[in-house]
Amino acid sequence: MPEPTVAARITRGKKKIVAAGIPYAVPGRGDLPGRLRVVAQVAYLAFTAGYAPGSGPDLLRADLAGEAVRLVRVTHALVPDEPVLRALLALVLLQHSRRDARVDAEGGLVLLPDQDRGLWHHGEVAEAVDLLAGVAPSPDPLVESYRLQALVAAEHALAPTSAATRWDRICEAYAALLQVNPSPSARLAAAVALSERDGPRAGLAALDGLDEALAGSHRLAAVRAELLARAGDDAALAAFDEAIRLCGNDVERAHLLTRREAVAAG
């Protein structure tokens, strides 16, 4: 957002705080339960902004993602038995553990199947798996959403090779996630998993109905382009063009351009 817009919002926020007489004080332990869900959601948003920036020159901002992990860890230490924080900490640790393998020496994107698994932070993976083992299935949609996403991340983290990934388990976790949180992003990720298990045509069918919900998202167009390419469909090139047009992240755009060239040549 433009700086003046943010400055105006901060000014209005300060005036509201003064008018309402809200004190600046460290909340007491009794105040924490009512605030934990919002804290967890904001921390995960901050992590996602570092893990997968939608725009800018960097594929990831490991410093920002790492700070979000630290905030979740600090909050979890205050209330270690709170399942929403335990599940979230497991999730962000598993995702963050791959940070050093996601970019090559030239700053290019390295897809998950091509990553050097020796560069993953296996201590963080082990910690996350231990945390996840202590989170039972929950009727709380937020807890269950984090738990199921962490289960997916754990399947990737624990597979000795890309070929050994248990896509059947991942598809089961996504099917459960779509019952708890049928968000467009979850549906997109589930479609990718389905394509790995059942083939690109199954994944393409699962993308139906997402265009309106994810209008303007380069990731939907990129997934569609890749699945069309795998299916040998000439429409892949137009889908790549759409993804490239919408992509605001320099590293992802460069990858899409390279992939389009390869598909066009092949």
Side-chain angles (χ1 to χ4, degrees):
M1 292 182 179
E3 188 173 333
T5 301
V6 177
R9 291 186 177 186
I10 291 173
T11 298
R12 288 196 297 271
K14 289 179 177 178
K15 289 180 178 179
K16 182 176 180 179
I17 288 170
V18 171
I22 299 170
Y24 283 105
V26 176
R29 188 170 292 273
D31 297 319
L32 292 178
R35 303 187 182 196
L36 289 178
R37 298 175 68 81
V38 174
V39 169
Q41 290 170 304
V42 172
Y44 192 36
L45 284 172
F47 175 80
T48 302
Y51 178 78
S55 61
D58 303 314
L59 179 69
L60 72 156
R61 294 178 57 191
D63 55 342
L64 175 58
E67 178 63 8
V69 172
R70 187 188 70 82
L71 290 173
V72 177
R73 190 188 294 281
V74 167
T75 313
H76 173 258
L78 292 172
V79 276
D81 296 327
E82 176 56 49
V84 71
L85 295 173
R86 192 178 184 91
L88 178 57
L89 183 55
L91 172 58
V92 295
L93 282 171
L94 286 164
Q95 293 177 325
H96 195 50
S97 69
R98 301 195 299 267
R99 57 191 176 276
D100 293 339
R102 293 177 59 206
V103 181
D104 62 24
E106 288 73 40
L109 182 154
V110 182
L111 296 175
L112 180 59
D114 303 320
Q115 290 175 12
D116 180 353
R117 296 178 181 229
L119 296 177
W120 292 359
H121 293 254
H122 295 284
E124 294 175 7
V125 172
E127 179 185 358
V129 170
D130 285 345
L131 286 164
L132 188 56
V135 184
S138 173
D140 184 326
L142 188 62
V143 176
E144 191 65 357
S145 176
Y146 291 155
R147 188 186 75 85
L148 290 167
Q149 290 178 75
L151 284 176
V152 170
E155 288 293 342
H156 288 300
L158 296 175
T161 65
S162 176
T165 303
R166 290 293 303 269
W167 288 106
D168 55 333
R169 293 177 182 169
I170 291 174
C171 286
E172 288 176 5
Y174 274 126
L177 179 62
L178 292 179
Q179 295 298 313
V180 175
N181 178 25
S183 68
S185 59
R187 288 179 59 195
L188 180 61
V192 173
L194 192 65
S195 73
E196 294 289 347
R197 188 187 71 181
D198 298 339
R201 290 295 179 188
L204 286 166
L207 297 180
D208 288 348
L210 278 177
D211 290 272
E212 183 176 352
L214 291 174
S217 168
H218 75 279
R219 294 196 169 104
L220 172 59
V223 168
R224 179 174 285 128
E226 184 62 37
L227 294 183
L228 286 168
R230 293 183 186 184
D233 194 316
D234 291 340
L237 294 180
F240 273 116
D241 289 338
E242 178 74 358
I244 292 164
R245 182 182 68 82
L246 293 173
C247 186
N249 183 275
D250 296 351
V251 178
E252 287 189 65
R253 189 188 307 110
H255 170 77
L256 290 168
L257 285 164
T258 300
R259 186 74 183 106
R260 187 200 186 283
E261 291 173 1
V263 171

